[in-house]
Amino acid sequence: MFHVAYKSIASWALIVCACLLASPVAANFYEGKTLNFVINFTPGGPTDFEGRLVARHLGKHIVGNPTIIVRNMPGAGGAIGLNWLGQVAGTDGLTVGYLAGVTTKVVMGDPAIKVDVRNMKFIAGVPGVSVTYIRRDVPPGINKPLDIMRSGDFWAGGLTPESAKDVRMRMQLDLLGVRYRYVSGYPGAAEARLAFQRGEIHLTAETIPTYRASIEPALVNTGEAIPLWLDPLDDGDALTQSPDADGIPADNFYDFYKKAMGKEPQGELWESYRVINGVSAMFLRLIMMPAGAPDPAVSSIKAALANIQNSTEYRDEAMKGMRFVPSYISDSRSEKRFLEVLEPPPAIRSFLRAYIEKGKQASTMGR
């Protein structure tokens, strides 16, 4: 099972990073220096919260204890921060980026991306799956997840038709063949959540930290909503339940589909879903450095991230703020998988572009 392998990979990464950090050059690289920590979204959002959590602890685990300066560079759905990191930031190892929202853009060949991410230094991926949930009062009543298969017409709501979260949500519903209508354009998760509570939309999705902090206590525990499924983790070989989903009473979508349909999913829609899910669930966030960053700098940052994950102080702060502890995967297997999912077959990329356009047309029809 992947979650077992996932933990083994993390342990192996700790050993590798510890060995790298033992190098005298790596150990002295950051002494007396300042490290710029770039976050490609606005202050106050989930990416900013997670990024600043890392930044607060990173310097403590880098030999030389550099000063960490956080810089927010929002815009163009995360592309501006990525482009700055790849085009403007120096190659001296003094800049690292904590990035969200860019992997799907790269996969789709979005012209807003001006850099070749494959040439940049991969530090770590941050897996993160979403929980899809629905109002219980959708006719004829949703009392358990499989009840959605006999539901009537309902509204699924999201942020933008090209966002990975929206694309995955629509694909899941289309694979199941349920009847729904789609509306997008909510500025953020909070606005979509309010629309859900007002009954303007009936189904949407949130990342696990937001689900645990807001959806579970305010909507699920009060009986207003029910979780349907979670995005599966996909290492290219197997689709499995995220270990971060412990306690959430829902299967991953792959297992839900088999229960609902009585067969394995297949076909172009399914293969396209695996591409989008593979890049967005496995690499929800990226930690990157510019191409040309010195190997001692890369090794030091990777080792520090490995140490952070074993830090009680870090884990306690993460649980207090998010009820969730992010994991950082930085081993060679994960980097290879990252490079693989960035280059889908041309037919899949064409299908995805057409599918997103279809979503744009559906979402502009209004209510």
Side-chain angles (χ1 to χ4, degrees):
M1 296 294 286
F2 179 66
H3 67 272
V4 176
Y6 179 77
K7 292 178 180 177
S8 300
I9 286 170
S11 299
W12 174 248
L14 287 173
I15 296 171
V16 172
C17 288
C19 293
L20 289 169
L21 189 56
S23 164
V25 176
N28 296 325
F29 185 85
Y30 282 108
E31 186 173 356
K33 297 179 180 178
T34 297
L35 179 65
N36 295 298
F37 195 91
V38 175
I39 300 174
N40 68 334
F41 276 83
T42 55
T47 303
D48 180 68
F49 186 94
E50 293 172 29
R52 287 177 183 271
L53 175 67
V54 173
R56 280 194 295 274
H57 293 267
L58 191 63
K60 306 173 189 176
H61 295 277
I62 299 176
V63 175
N65 193 24
T67 300
I68 309 290
I69 296 179
V70 176
R71 301 179 63 183
N72 291 86
M73 291 190 175
I80 287 178
L82 172 64
N83 291 338
W84 187 91
L85 187 70
Q87 292 181 317
V88 181
T91 60
D92 52 10
L94 299 182
T95 306
V96 62
Y98 192 89
L99 311 169
V102 296
T103 47
T104 303
K105 291 180 183 294
V106 174
V107 168
M108 298 302 301
D110 192 321
I113 304 297
K114 307 297 184 184
V115 296
D116 189 344
V117 176
R118 296 168 300 179
N119 292 333
M120 298 176 68
K121 297 288 187 177
F122 176 88
I123 303 299
V126 187
V129 303
S130 292
V131 185
T132 297
Y133 59 98
I134 192 170
R135 289 182 63 96
R136 284 183 176 270
D137 58 7
V138 169
I142 308 294
N143 296 307
K144 58 184 182 298
L146 284 173
D147 287 345
I148 192 176
M149 301 304 296
R150 59 186 182 86
S151 65
D153 200 8
F154 61 86
W155 284 94
L159 306 182
T160 64
E162 61 269 23
S163 71
K165 186 188 292 186
D166 281 33
V167 173
R168 283 181 293 175
M169 179 178 67
R170 288 177 51 227
M171 285 183 160
Q172 290 162 348
L173 295 171
D174 287 340
L175 282 163
L176 293 171
V178 298
R179 291 188 299 119
Y180 74 98
R181 287 175 286 176
Y182 169 63
V183 60
S184 71
Y186 293 101
E191 290 81 4
R193 187 161 58 250
L194 287 174
F196 182 94
Q197 290 176 294
R198 291 192 295 261
E200 296 173 9
I201 59 175
H202 309 99
L203 177 147
T204 190
E206 297 276 12
T207 59
I208 285 180
T210 303
Y211 176 85
R212 292 194 189 279
S214 301
I215 307 307
E216 193 172 64
L219 297 174
V220 174
N221 292 346
T222 61
E224 190 173 345
I226 181 174
L228 293 173
W229 55 73
L230 302 100
D231 302 321
L233 289 178
D234 187 349
D235 67 350
D237 296 321
L239 295 100
T240 56
Q241 190 86 333
S242 168
D244 298 326
D246 288 350
I248 298 177
D251 293 322
N252 70 70
F253 179 74
Y254 173 63
D255 289 336
F256 181 90
Y257 180 95
K258 290 188 293 183
K259 286 182 180 179
M261 307 298 283
K263 61 181 181 180
E264 292 275 343
Q266 58 182 346
E268 191 173 35
L269 178 59
W270 171 248
E271 294 304 320
S272 299
Y273 168 76
R274 284 198 69 175
V275 167
I276 286 293
N277 187 68
V279 71
S280 54
M282 293 298 293
F283 304 100
L284 179 68
R285 318 283 194 226
L286 286 174
I287 303 176
M288 306 282 286
M289 295 181 79
D295 288 340
V298 173
S299 300
S300 293
I301 301 300
K302 285 188 175 183
L305 284 170
N307 289 333
I308 280 175
Q309 292 183 96
N310 283 338
S311 164
T312 300
E313 183 182 5
Y314 162 78
R315 298 180 70 85
D316 287 348
E317 186 176 351
M319 285 301 297
K320 182 178 180 181
M322 300 184 291
R323 300 178 63 193
F324 169 79
V325 181
S327 299
Y328 309 107
I329 52 174
S330 58
D331 58 286
S332 58
R333 179 188 178 194
S334 298
E335 183 172 1
K336 180 181 178 182
R337 175 62 175 159
F338 173 65
L339 295 174
E340 288 174 350
V341 295
L342 290 182
E343 289 290 336
I348 294 294
R349 179 171 283 176
S350 296
F351 180 90
L352 286 170
R353 287 173 173 165
Y355 191 82
I356 288 172
E357 286 302 315
K358 182 180 178 182
K360 290 179 180 179
Q361 295 172 11
S363 67
T364 57
M365 291 181 181
R367 298 207 48 160

